């Protein structure tokens, strides 16, 4: 199975700053079938990005995804207060689908 | 509005069984693959099992294969997870999840709030 490694584990930034989250795969993710999720405390995950770069319905354009092969990135252009939570990547290019360990974005 | 509402979680002794249910509404349930994903509180996400729109293909994580069975009832817009021989390491919040389309291996575009399963004596 494909192992996804997210870095950093914790990202400390200020309001309005740009956040860059990394997700690296142990093998090529076919067709760039990579998704990103946001999870707030006590809530279920919410889909942000699928197909590496397509924003899900209702997701603000400050969230963007990029990458291919084994290296993918989630960028939050200007951090808002509600963005300081945990983010997960997921690959669905091969079975079984797998998730990364998560990146927590915290207020500096 | 898409809604996924899980039920059936609780405290169960090791080796016993439990059946989770998920009631779906707000979309054409029979058109989509459905899944169960679990999360140990404070930890990461683990895909558990998935089923195609017509129940033609079922898939399981190695950690639950042979112990868990996924099923669905499209007439009742419901998804199920029958869990046998439960272990302490099965303790987690279990989420009912909607796939992005009819295929099995997919992104997950809607999640329920989850039901907590605690396996302990």
């Amino acid at each position: 199975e494909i192992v996804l490694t997210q870095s950093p584990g914790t990202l400390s930034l200020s309001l309005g700053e740009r956040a860059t989250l990394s997700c690296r795969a142990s093998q090529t993710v076919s067709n760039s079938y990579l998704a990103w999720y946001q999870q707030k405390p006590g809530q279920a995950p919410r889909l942000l990005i699928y197909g590496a770069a397509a924003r899900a319905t209702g997701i603000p354009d400050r969230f963007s995804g990029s990458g291919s092969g084994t290296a993918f990135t989630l960028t939050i252009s200007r951090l808002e207060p509600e963005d300081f939570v945990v983010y997960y990547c997921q690959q669905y290019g091969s079975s079984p689908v797998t998730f990364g360990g998560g990146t927590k974005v915290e207020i500096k | 509005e898409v809604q996924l509402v899980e039920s059936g979680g609780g405290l169960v002794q090791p080796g016993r069984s439990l059946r989770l249910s998920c009631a779906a509404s707000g979309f054409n349930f029979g058109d989509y693959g459905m899944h169960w994903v679990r999360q140990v509180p404070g930890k990461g996400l683990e895909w558990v099992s998935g089923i195609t729109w017509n129940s033609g293909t079922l898939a399981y994580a190695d950690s639950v294969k042979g112990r868990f069975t996924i099923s669905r009832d499209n007439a009742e817009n419901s998804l199920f997870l029958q869990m046998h021989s439960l272990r302490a390491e099965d303790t987690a919040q279990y989420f009912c999840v909607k796939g992005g389309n009819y295929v099995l291996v997919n992104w997950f575009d809607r999640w329920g709030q989850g039901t907590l399963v605690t396996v302990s004596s």
Side-chain angles (χ1 to χ4, degrees):
Chain A
E1 70 178 44
I2 295 179
V3 175
L4 298 179
T5 302
Q6 291 188 242
S7 62
T10 301
L11 190 56
S12 300
L13 294 168
S14 301
L15 281 169
E17 283 197 295
R18 182 186 190 90
T20 303
L21 287 66
S22 172
C23 177
R24 291 194 174 271
S26 60
Q27 308 167 41
T28 294
V29 176
S30 59
N31 301 306
S32 295
Y33 282 168
L34 194 287
W36 290 93
Y37 301 86
Q38 177 192 67
Q39 188 175 31
K40 298 179 178 179
Q43 295 187 18
R46 176 177 71 148
L47 177 68
L48 298 176
I49 301 286
Y50 63 97
R55 262 191 307 276
T57 303
I59 301 304
D61 60 7
R62 65 179 182 274
F63 292 93
S64 63
S66 62
S68 63
T70 62
F72 298 87
T73 300
L74 174 70
T75 301
I76 310 171
S77 59
R78 296 170 308 278
L79 285 164
E80 301 280 340
E82 62 269 26
D83 299 336
F84 290 90
V85 291
V86 180
Y87 296 85
Y88 294 96
C89 59
Q90 175 226 351
Q91 70 80 24
Y92 54 99
S94 63
S95 182
V97 301
T98 51
F99 292 91
T103 290
K104 180 180 180 180
V105 178
E106 66 173 23
I107 296 180
K108 188 174 181 180
Chain B
E1 179 195 1
V2 172
Q3 282 200 316
L4 299 168
V5 180
E6 302 91 339
S7 60
L11 175 63
V12 61
Q13 293 180 327
R16 303 298 291 264
S17 300
L18 206 59
R19 188 188 196 219
L20 305 183
S21 299
C22 171
S25 61
F27 66 103
N28 293 325
F29 181 75
D31 288 346
Y32 294 89
M34 295 294 296
H35 302 259
W36 292 96
V37 174
R38 67 186 180 185
Q39 183 175 37
V40 174
K43 302 297 184 183
L45 300 165
E46 180 189 18
W47 173 79
V48 173
S49 182
I51 185 169
T52 50
W53 64 281
N54 62 352
S55 304
T57 301
L58 315 180
Y60 301 93
D62 287 344
S63 58
V64 307
K65 202 171 292 182
R67 300 188 298 122
F68 289 11
T69 301
I70 191 171
S71 62
R72 66 189 295 163
D73 182 339
N74 287 348
E76 296 295 325
N77 293 336
S78 296
L79 177 71
F80 306 99
L81 186 67
Q82 179 69 55
M83 304 184 292
H84 295 296
S85 304
L86 283 161
R87 306 167 180 168
E89 53 265 35
D90 295 318
T91 295
Q93 186 86 351
Y94 284 73
F95 295 101
C96 170
V97 182
K98 173 182 170 291
N101 53 45
Y102 66 95
V103 304
L104 187 63
V105 186
N106 222 320
W107 69 91
F108 302 139
D109 65 0
R110 290 292 191 272
W111 299 61
Q113 283 305 301
T115 186
L116 182 62
V117 173
T118 304
V119 184
S120 175
S121 53

